[in-house]
Amino acid sequence: LFFSYFKDLVGREVTVELKNDLAIRGTLHSVDQYLNIKLENTRVVDQDKYPHMLSVRNCFIRGSVVRYVQLPPEEVDIELLHDATRREAR
Amino acid sequence: MSRIGHDDSFLYTSLATYLGKKLVVLLGDGRHRLGLLRSFDQFASIVLEGACERVIVGDLYCDIPLGLNIIRRENVVLLGEMDMEKEELPSHMTAVSTVEIKRAQKAERDATYLKGSMKNIMEFLGID
């Protein structure tokens, strides 16, 4: 379910927070069945705390290290999501 | 791979676009490696050439553990493609030797430990 959900979000700007507290903002480029995420136009939210990523513009994030993905609320169609979840649950 | 359907092929997150590029690899224990991506597998284990570990404690330090590294998939947190035109590090950082950076790391660790233990003592005594 979430794979297809993320597929619909490709091209949107999201913020991914990882389990090590690193928060990264970028445009969702692609996603796969493991929910690995590829982001473009990457920038770290709190730049000064994490200087290592200054020159990184595209990145690949392993699905297992994502704590959460922050989405713009206007992208979320609640009814559609509810229906899809009910369908999945059956 | 056979589980991926035909219409998923555009969205398959392939690391092939990163082959031969310089990458920053973030490891599970918080360490950073830089190197060229030579190979990968479907679970994102990678082969990194010219690997160097960058430790940052306010200063820069670049070590070269091994020319060729194989990093097991469970340790890979993030792969970042380094843009060669952009600044790699903020300009105020300087390179120091191995010994000095280890000393700085230890000092930082001790300071955090001390802060933590002081906090525990204060909490125990009920001091605000």
Side-chain angles (χ1 to χ4, degrees), chain A residues 18 20 22-25 39 42-61, chain B residues 23-26 32-34 54 56 77-83 86-90 93:
Chain A
L18 307 179
N20 68 352
L22 181 62
I24 302 175
R25 198 162 179 78
L39 286 180
T42 311
R43 50 209 173 286
V44 183
V45 170
D46 195 353
Q47 276 288 15
D48 301 316
K49 252 186 108 191
Y50 300 101
H52 337 266
M53 305 253 309
L54 224 55
S55 59
V56 175
R57 278 298 153 264
N58 307 314
C59 71
F60 168 87
I61 302 175
Chain B
L23 299 181
V24 175
V25 184
L26 221 158
H32 280 82
R33 292 272 165 97
L34 289 84
R54 185 161 287 176
I56 298 186
V77 165
L78 182 150
L79 297 175
E81 179 188 351
M82 292 195 77
D83 195 348
K86 307 274 169 139
E87 273 293 298
E88 277 200 21
L89 295 155
M93 294 197 157

Side-chain angles (χ1 to χ4, degrees), chain B residues 51-124:
Chain B
C52 61
E53 178 149 338
R54 185 161 287 176
V55 177
I56 298 186
V57 195
D59 296 281
L60 155 71
Y61 151 75
C62 206
D63 186 24
I64 305 185
L66 183 68
L68 200 59
N69 273 13
I70 296 178
I71 302 177
R72 204 178 139 85
R73 56 189 177 257
E74 65 213 15
N75 297 300
V76 175
V77 165
L78 182 150
L79 297 175
E81 179 188 351
M82 292 195 77
D83 195 348
M84 292 328 297
E85 278 116 63
K86 307 274 169 139
E87 273 293 298
E88 277 200 21
L89 295 155
S91 39
H92 61 83
M93 294 197 157
T94 50
V96 292
S97 66
T98 318
V99 181
E100 282 204 37
I101 198 79
K102 294 263 188 239
R103 223 182 297 150
Q105 249 190 336
K106 187 165 187 304
E108 196 188 43
R109 232 177 310 155
D110 289 344
T112 353
Y113 179 71
L114 190 64
K115 230 195 315 176
S117 61
M118 285 294 288
K119 200 163 172 265
N120 284 337
I121 294 170
M122 306 280 257
E123 276 179 19
F124 176 70

Side-chain angles (χ1 to χ4, degrees), chain A residues 10-85:
Chain A
V10 168
R12 308 276 185 256
E13 178 109 348
V14 295
T15 300
V16 181
E17 182 163 324
L18 307 179
K19 289 184 182 164
N20 68 352
D21 291 345
L22 181 62
I24 302 175
R25 198 162 179 78
T27 317
L28 189 64
H29 175 262
S30 57
V31 70
D32 66 7
Q33 51 171 316
Y34 304 112
L35 300 188
N36 295 329
I37 293 172
K38 250 187 150 179
L39 286 180
E40 301 216 316
N41 292 315
T42 311
R43 50 209 173 286
V44 183
V45 170
D46 195 353
Q47 276 288 15
D48 301 316
K49 252 186 108 191
Y50 300 101
H52 337 266
M53 305 253 309
L54 224 55
S55 59
V56 175
R57 278 298 153 264
N58 307 314
C59 71
F60 168 87
I61 302 175
R62 201 175 145 74
S64 57
V65 301
V66 173
R67 188 182 286 143
Y68 42 79
V69 180
Q70 293 168 8
L71 314 164
E74 55 272 9
E75 299 302 339
V76 180
D77 184 345
I78 298 184
E79 282 311 311
L80 205 62
L81 202 59
H82 281 177
D83 289 340
T85 312

Side-chain angles (χ1 to χ4, degrees), chain A residues 30-32 36-38 60, chain B residues 8-15:
Chain A
S30 57
V31 70
D32 66 7
N36 295 329
I37 293 172
K38 250 187 150 179
F60 168 87
Chain B
D8 291 340
S9 53
F10 289 110
L11 291 166
Y12 171 51
T13 307
S14 173
L15 288 174

